[in-house]
Amino acid sequence: MTIAFVFPGQGAQTIGMGKALADAYPAAKAVFDEVDEALGESLSQLIWEGDIETLTLTQNAQPALMATSMAAMRALEAEGVTIGKAAFVAGHSLGEYSALAAAGAISVTDTARLLRTRGLAMQSAVPVGEGAMAAILGLDLDAVRAVAEEAAQGEVCQAANDNDPTQVVVSGAKAAVERAAVIAKEKGAKRAVMLPVSAPFHCALMQPAADAMAEALAGVEIKSPAVPLIANVRADAVTSPDEIRQLLVEQVTGSVRWRESVQAMAAKGVTEFWEIGAGKALSGMIRKIDRALACRQVGTPEDAKAAAEA
């Protein structure tokens, strides 16, 4: 059994996530305390007792999901499962930061601050209402790229997330994405669903956010991760701190190549994926990518104990 630890992205957030971990493991509680201190506010109170609309704001959701993933990681460590049990780490979009924190490449404090900056920069890059994203179900990546190209008509419209063989997300100018949804259905897509997001992530419209992240990342220490990172924009392993820094900048405007990343890990011998943190969205995608791959969620004390026994 060769394991990869994978970390969820935006959309997995729920009120109360990580609370049981913090109650059961002092090291997990310490993660939330560290994030609160890094941000100068009680994000943990919002996560555990706040309202979902406020938690879902990009600048809150990103550090909150990272904190929950790191709390789950600390619970695993308390049960005797260290990062060295994984052959690789990977994360979906913001989850890439959680993966790097778990692998010791970036401190939790720096990761929290980077994700707050990232969330604010991504939100402010495009005025609300001018951008959009849509999930195209039932067409593969090449077909969706062709749809996006046809829909662009001089505006930005790109394949942003290649999630699994049945789902590719397009991102860009609102009118162009709406055209893409119509064209996709004409070309045989089962569904085209406009997503409830506040900005068009992972497309060229995010360049101001990429510039902001280049500046923010320049001032942060990045170490070689304890295990290789499978990077979103490359879908291959990376360990060089300088390369990681550059790829995190490119990730803001680049596609999340999740399907290829999972295939790359499987090709390198990974047979089981542990989803560390909130939800089980990645497990669902992984099963659609390759039914032979096993998945395990680690988001509660019971999950951590079961994983350690396994």
Side-chain angles (χ1 to χ4, degrees):
M1 181 173 71
T2 301
I3 301 167
F5 290 174
V6 296
F7 298 82
Q10 218 160 317
Q13 66 274 2
T14 56
I15 295 298
M17 64 183 183
K19 183 68 167 68
L21 291 167
D23 289 343
Y25 299 95
K29 172 69 162 59
V31 170
F32 289 103
D33 291 343
E34 184 175 349
V35 170
D36 286 352
E37 187 173 341
L39 299 180
E41 65 184 68
S42 184
L43 185 66
S44 58
Q45 187 175 0
L46 171 63
I47 298 168
W48 298 334
E49 301 169 14
D51 63 275
I52 190 64
E53 290 79 13
T54 307
L55 180 60
T56 298
L57 291 173
T58 304
Q59 67 263 30
N60 293 328
Q62 294 199 23
L65 284 160
M66 182 278 296
T68 304
S69 286
M70 286 305 299
M73 195 69 223
R74 295 290 180 257
L76 276 178
E77 290 166 359
E79 295 294 344
V81 181
T82 65
I83 191 69
K85 295 288 186 185
F88 301 97
V89 292
H92 193 283
S93 190
L94 87 88
E96 191 156 276
Y97 286 79
S98 305
L100 287 164
I106 309 177
S107 72
V108 170
T109 290
D110 283 340
T111 306
R113 290 173 179 160
L114 285 169
L115 287 172
R116 171 56 57 84
T117 298
R118 185 177 184 265
L120 289 168
M122 292 172 89
Q123 185 60 67
S124 63
V126 180
V128 174
E130 291 189 13
M133 300 179 79
I136 310 300
L137 308 179
L139 294 180
D140 65 17
L141 178 61
D142 288 341
V144 173
R145 280 177 173 158
V147 166
E149 191 175 337
E150 184 178 336
Q153 296 180 21
E155 296 183 295
V156 171
C157 189
Q158 294 171 232
N161 299 354
D162 180 17
N163 285 335
D164 63 49
T166 69
Q167 184 194 112
V168 181
V169 175
V170 294
S171 181
K174 187 168 185 282
V177 171
E178 288 171 344
R179 287 192 294 269
V182 173
I183 294 167
K185 284 188 272 195
E186 291 171 353
K187 293 190 179 295
K190 290 177 183 173
R191 291 174 67 204
V193 183
M194 299 298 291
L195 298 179
V197 295
S198 52
F201 306 130
H202 298 291
C203 75
L205 294 175
M206 287 287 112
Q207 188 58 48
D211 296 339
M213 289 313 296
E215 186 176 339
L217 284 157
V220 168
E221 181 186 14
I222 300 179
K223 301 174 183 174
S224 295
V227 296
L229 171 79
I230 302 295
N232 281 185
V233 295
R234 187 178 288 177
D236 201 1
V238 58
T239 56
S240 158
D242 288 342
E243 280 188 277
I244 288 168
R245 197 185 310 272
Q246 182 57 37
L247 291 171
L248 287 174
V249 175
E250 292 177 18
Q251 189 224 57
V252 179
T253 56
S255 296
V256 176
R257 296 167 61 184
W258 187 250
R259 176 183 58 85
E260 292 174 88
S261 294
V262 171
Q263 290 172 334
M265 286 182 272
K268 295 174 189 293
V270 172
T271 54
E272 187 164 320
F273 289 80
W274 290 15
E275 185 167 2
I276 313 290
K280 50 187 178 181
L282 297 184
S283 298
M285 294 176 196
I286 290 163
R287 289 189 181 101
K288 289 176 182 173
I289 294 165
D290 187 342
R291 283 282 174 194
L293 300 172
C295 297
R296 173 186 291 275
Q297 286 83 48
V298 183
T300 67
E302 293 75 23
D303 293 342
K305 287 180 171 64
E309 287 168 11

